[in-house]
Amino acid sequence: MMENMENVYLWIVLSPLAGSIIAGLFGKVIGRRGAHWVAIIGVGISCILSLLAYKYIVFDGGDIYNAAVYTWVVSGNVSFEIGFLIDKLSVTMMAVVSFVSWMIHIYTIGYMHDDPGYQRFFSYISLFTFSMLMLVMSNNFLQLFFGWEAVGLVSYLLIGFWFKRESAIFASLKAFLVNRVGDFGFLLGIAAVLMYFNTLDYATVFSQAPELAGTTITIFEGHAWSLMTVICICLFIGAMGKSAQVPLHVWLPDSMEGPTPISALIHAATMVTAGIFMVARMSPLYEFSETALSFILIIGAVTAFSMGLLGLVQNDIKRVIAYSTLSQLGYMTVALGASAYAAAIFHLVTHAFFKALLFLAAGSVIIVLHHEQDMRKMGGLYKYMPITWLTCLIGSLASIGFPGTSGFFSKDAIIEAVHTSTLPGAEFAYYAVLSCVLITALYSFRLFFLTFHGEERMDKETWQHLHEAPAVVTVPLSVLAIPSLIIGAWLIGPMLFQGYFGDAIYVADKHDVLAEVGQDYHGILGFTAHAFKHPPVYLAFAGVFLAWLFYIRFPQLPGRIANALKPLYQMLVHKYGCDAFNQVVFAGGTRGIGRILWQIGDVRVIDGLIVNGSALTVRWFSGVVRQVQSGYLYHYAFTMIIGLLILLAVFVHKIFQGG
C-alpha cells in the first residue's frame, strides 16, 4: 500500500506541473481550449488524489509517509534531497490547496475569456499550485525553500501578468523586493539549522531540538542569544514576508493589480498561507522559545487590528478584501504565537474557502460591470445577480464569524485561545483581535451593502446590460459557498480538541491553551451557546448594524464622520504612511546611493581617472615625444651625443666599480 501511495503523492505534485508545461510551451499548438483543459485536468487529478490521500491518512488511519524520492547532493553527512512528509497537517493543506485551486481554474475560463494571455495565465496558475504543493509536502528545509521561492517567483509573474500596465509592473516588483527582505531572514534561519543540527531533515532536526534548547550563541559581543530564539525569529521573518505581516505587509494590497483569479489564489490557498503553515510545521522548534512566540503574538495582533482599520476606507472592491486577508492572517499569526497551532490551521482552512468565495464573487461583479472596481459606482446589484449576491452574503457572514458559519468556529476558537494564554503580550493581542471583530463586520458589510444594495450608481450603458455572470463563474461560487458554511462545524471538534494533528504539531504542556479551552467544549451547539456569553458575537452584530446604518439608512453619515475625524481619516487613506516611507527611505535612499556611486565610482573614478585619465596621460606623453621628432638634423645629432655621453658615463662607472 505504501508503494502505491508514493506514486499517488508523486502524481499529486507532478500533474499540475505537467499541465503548466503543456499550456505554457505548447499553448499556440493546443489553442485556448486545449490550454484550459490540460491545466484544469492536471489540477483536478491533483485534487482528487489529494482527497484520496486525505481519506487514507485521516479516515483510514494510514501510515505517515516520510521518505526521500530523489537525492540531489550528498556532502559529508548532509544530504540535499527532494522528499515528502505526508501526515495530517500536510494532507489537510494538500486537500485545501488543490480543491480551491481547481475551483479557481474553472472560474478563470469565464474571467479571462477575452484575454490575449489566456494560455500563459493557465500555465502560471498551474505552476503556482505545483509550487505550493511542493512546499507543504516537503520533509526537509531544502525542498521547503524551493517551494518558498517558487511561489514567490510565480506570484511575481502573476501580479505583473498585465505587464503593459505600469502599476502592475510596480506591484510585482514591490512584491518581489519585499519578499526578498523576508527571505533573507528565512535563509539565515535555515543556515543556522544546518550549522547547528548538521542536517536539513525535519524529523532529525525536531528530534535534536530538546538537546539544543539550552544552547546559546553570540551575535554581538557580550550578549548571549538563545539558539532556538534566533532560528525561530529568522524563520518567522520569512513568514512575515510571505504571509504579509507588519511591516512586510505592503506588497499584498498592491497584488490586486493581477487578474482576480490570481488574487483569489494568492489570498486563499497559496503564497500567504505558506508562512502560517511553516510556523505550524516548525512547532517542535517554536515551543522552546517563548521570546519568539511573544514576538509572533504581538506582530499578529498589530497586523490584525491595523490592517482591519485600513479596510474601512478603501473604495476598490478587491482592495477591501485584500485588507480583510491581511487582518485574517493576523488572526492566524496570533494563534501561532499563543501556541494554538491547530486553531491557526483551522482558520487557514475555513478562510481559504470563504476568502476564495469573496474574491470570486467580486470578480463576478467586475466582469458584469466591465472591469469597474470602485464600489461607489455600484449598488442595487442583488436584483440582477442573485447567485453572486447570495454567495457573497455567505462569504461575508463567514468572514465576520456569524454564528454557525465556518468562520465563526475558527475565529472564536482563536479569540478564546489567546484569552487563555499567559505569554507576554497575550492580553494586548486579545483586545486587538476582539476589537477587530467589530471592524471586520463593519468593512465586510460596507462592501456588501455598497455593492448589492442601496442606490444604483453605475452609468446608464452598464445598467442596461446588467445580468448574472455565466455558469462557469457561478458554479465555482456555489461550490465554494458550501464549505464556507459547513466545514467549520464539521472540523472544530476533531481538529481542535480531539488530537486531529497527532504528532504533526507539538505543543508543550505549559503552552497548551487549546486543551484548556476544550474543557468547556460540549459539541457544536454547546460551543455556539457558549459564544453568546462572550463579546465577539455581539461585536459582529454591532458591526453589521453600523454598516447598515451608515451605508443604507443614513448614507451621508460616513462623509460627515470622515470630515469630523479628518486627520485620522487621512492617516488611514495614506495607509499610515508606510508606502510613502518605503518610497522615500528605501526606494529613494537606494536610488540616492546609486547616484552617489555613479558620480564617484563611474563618472569620476572609472570614466574620469581610469578611462579618460589614461587617455589624457597617453596624450600628454605623445605630445612630449612628438617634440623629439622635429625633423632638424642638428636636433638628432645633439640627441645622439647626449645618448653617447650617458652610455660613456655608465661604462666608466662600471669600470671603477669593478676596480
Side-chain angles (χ1 to χ4, degrees):
M1 183 66 178
M2 286 297 291
E3 291 181 3
N4 292 335
M5 290 309 296
E6 181 177 328
N7 292 329
V8 168
Y9 302 143
L10 279 171
W11 277 108
I12 287 172
V13 293
L14 292 179
S15 54
L17 178 63
S20 172
I21 292 171
I22 295 170
L25 297 182
F26 306 103
K28 290 185 178 180
V29 177
I30 62 178
R32 296 164 71 89
R33 287 175 60 86
H36 73 231
W37 275 116
V38 294
I40 289 170
I41 290 171
V43 176
I45 291 170
S46 180
C47 179
I48 293 167
L49 294 179
S50 293
L51 293 174
L52 288 174
Y54 185 88
K55 174 182 177 297
Y56 173 71
I57 297 290
V58 176
F59 292 113
D60 300 343
D63 295 328
I64 292 171
Y65 181 87
N66 183 13
V69 295
Y70 173 71
T71 300
W72 181 37
V73 175
V74 177
S75 177
N77 296 324
V78 181
S79 293
F80 297 90
E81 299 171 337
I82 300 298
F84 297 147
L85 171 57
I86 312 298
D87 55 14
K88 288 184 179 179
L89 175 58
S90 54
V91 81
T92 300
M93 291 295 297
M94 290 154 55
V96 171
V97 169
S98 58
F99 179 78
V100 173
S101 179
W102 195 18
M103 293 300 103
I104 292 171
H105 273 66
I106 296 170
Y107 174 94
T108 299
I109 297 174
Y111 192 88
M112 301 294 288
H113 184 265
D114 298 320
D115 198 282
Y118 192 80
Q119 294 97 314
R120 178 166 56 94
F121 189 81
F122 273 99
S123 176
Y124 285 172
I125 58 175
S126 290
L127 187 61
F128 210 170
T129 307
F130 159 76
S131 302
M132 189 65 185
L133 288 170
M134 285 292 283
L135 188 155
V136 301
M137 294 171 68
S138 62
N139 75 341
N140 63 83
F141 285 91
L142 175 69
Q143 185 175 328
L144 174 70
F145 187 70
F146 166 78
W148 196 266
E149 293 303 307
V151 293
L153 170 64
V154 184
S155 70
Y156 167 78
L157 295 173
L158 283 163
I159 293 169
F161 181 79
W162 286 322
F163 54 84
K164 292 184 180 179
R165 295 183 183 177
E166 188 176 340
S167 58
I169 295 301
F170 179 82
S172 62
L173 186 61
K174 187 175 183 180
F176 191 78
L177 292 176
V178 172
N179 273 276
R180 296 292 69 73
V181 175
D183 291 354
F184 179 68
F186 189 62
L187 193 56
L188 287 177
I190 294 176
V193 168
L194 180 59
M195 181 177 179
Y196 286 93
F197 291 86
N198 201 34
T199 182
L200 292 174
D201 180 71
Y202 289 165
T204 310
V205 169
F206 297 159
S207 66
Q208 292 180 23
E211 300 171 19
L212 294 173
T215 303
T216 59
I217 59 175
T218 301
I219 300 176
F220 303 106
E221 193 65 34
H223 296 278
W225 290 65
S226 163
L227 172 64
M228 286 301 178
T229 297
V230 172
I231 288 174
C232 291
I233 290 180
C234 283
L235 292 175
F236 181 67
I237 289 171
M240 288 169 66
K242 280 289 179 289
S243 293
Q245 297 297 289
V246 170
L248 301 182
H249 67 283
V250 292
W251 67 271
L252 191 58
D254 286 1
S255 70
M256 297 302 96
E257 290 295 333
T260 297
I262 195 51
S263 300
L265 199 54
I266 288 176
H267 288 245
T270 61
M271 188 71 172
V272 297
T273 61
I276 307 301
F277 165 80
M278 184 275 294
V279 175
R281 174 60 83 195
M282 300 301 146
S283 59
L285 301 182
Y286 280 92
E287 285 301 287
F288 290 106
S289 176
E290 288 195 354
T291 302
L293 290 174
S294 291
F295 179 70
I296 293 170
L297 197 62
I298 292 168
I299 291 292
V302 171
T303 303
F305 182 74
S306 61
M307 296 300 107
L309 287 175
L310 295 186
L312 294 172
V313 299
Q314 300 299 312
N315 295 312
D316 185 311
I317 188 171
K318 285 173 64 177
R319 284 184 181 266
V320 175
I321 304 173
Y323 280 107
S324 170
T325 299
L326 283 165
S327 187
Q328 299 295 329
L329 288 167
Y331 271 95
M332 298 175 212
T333 304
V334 164
L336 295 172
S339 291
Y341 306 100
I345 297 300
F346 181 34
H347 193 52
L348 185 157
V349 171
T350 61
H351 175 264
F353 293 110
F354 68 70
K355 188 50 55 72
L357 178 60
L358 285 171
F359 264 114
L360 299 191
S364 176
V365 171
I366 292 167
I367 292 170
V368 171
L369 297 182
H370 308 296
H371 292 273
E372 178 59 66
Q373 295 181 199
D374 192 333
M375 296 184 298
R376 294 170 296 185
K377 298 179 182 179
M378 300 179 187
L381 292 178
Y382 76 96
K383 293 179 288 188
Y384 310 100
M385 307 178 70
I387 299 175
T388 303
W389 171 83
L390 180 60
T391 53
C392 187
L393 175 62
I394 291 170
S396 299
L397 290 172
S399 180
I400 71 170
F402 188 83
T405 61
S406 60
F408 162 73
F409 295 103
S410 56
K411 284 180 74 172
D412 267 44
I414 289 174
I415 294 169
E416 285 299 306
V418 176
H419 197 198
T420 305
S421 177
T422 57
L423 285 171
E427 186 175 1
F428 165 74
Y430 171 69
Y431 287 109
V433 294
L434 190 62
S435 304
C436 203
V437 175
L438 174 68
I439 296 167
T440 302
L442 183 52
Y443 68 64
S444 295
F445 274 83
R446 173 178 177 264
L447 178 151
F448 183 74
F449 289 139
L450 283 176
T451 304
F452 293 100
H453 293 273
E455 180 186 353
E456 297 173 8
R457 298 177 297 277
M458 64 286 296
D459 61 70
K460 186 176 180 181
E461 184 179 350
T462 302
W463 176 77
Q464 289 175 339
H465 296 91
L466 287 177
H467 58 84
E468 183 59 272
V472 75
V473 170
T474 56
V475 169
L477 284 175
S478 304
V479 173
L480 286 168
I482 297 169
S484 296
L485 277 175
I486 67 171
I487 201 166
W490 178 47
L491 287 177
I492 181 172
M495 191 168 280
L496 296 190
F497 309 121
Q498 296 169 15
Y500 173 92
F501 289 108
D503 295 333
I505 288 176
Y506 168 73
V507 182
D509 291 338
K510 62 179 179 178
H511 296 156
D512 200 351
V513 291
L514 286 177
E516 192 170 337
V517 173
Q519 293 175 3
D520 296 324
Y521 179 73
H522 304 291
I524 299 166
L525 294 178
F527 184 90
T528 306
H530 181 73
F532 278 91
K533 299 176 183 178
H534 296 279
V537 171
Y538 300 103
L539 288 172
F541 290 159
V544 175
F545 174 72
L546 285 174
W548 174 83
L549 201 66
F550 289 161
Y551 300 101
I552 298 296
R553 186 70 182 85
F554 301 109
Q556 71 278 8
L557 270 180
R560 293 177 182 174
I561 295 172
N563 287 329
L565 302 173
K566 195 166 186 179
L568 175 61
Y569 178 74
Q570 287 299 319
M571 181 181 72
L572 296 179
V573 167
H574 292 97
K575 300 171 249 185
Y576 308 113
C578 291
D579 283 343
F581 178 83
N582 289 335
Q583 283 298 109
V584 171
V585 176
F586 294 114
T590 303
R591 289 194 298 268
I593 292 170
R595 280 193 295 268
I596 292 169
L597 293 175
W598 167 61
Q599 285 290 340
I600 295 173
D602 197 29
V603 175
R604 297 185 183 179
V605 176
I606 296 175
D607 287 346
L609 183 61
I610 299 174
V611 178
N612 295 333
S614 59
L616 288 170
T617 302
V618 171
R619 180 181 176 184
W620 173 81
F621 183 74
S622 300
V624 172
V625 172
R626 187 179 59 191
Q627 299 302 317
V628 176
Q629 299 292 335
S630 64
Y632 293 108
L633 186 61
Y634 57 85
H635 282 172
Y636 299 147
F638 178 74
T639 303
M640 290 173 65
I641 291 168
I642 295 297
L644 286 172
L645 288 173
I646 292 171
L647 288 174
L648 181 62
V650 172
F651 180 71
V652 171
H653 176 71
K654 290 287 185 183
I655 290 174
F656 281 104
Q657 242 187 354

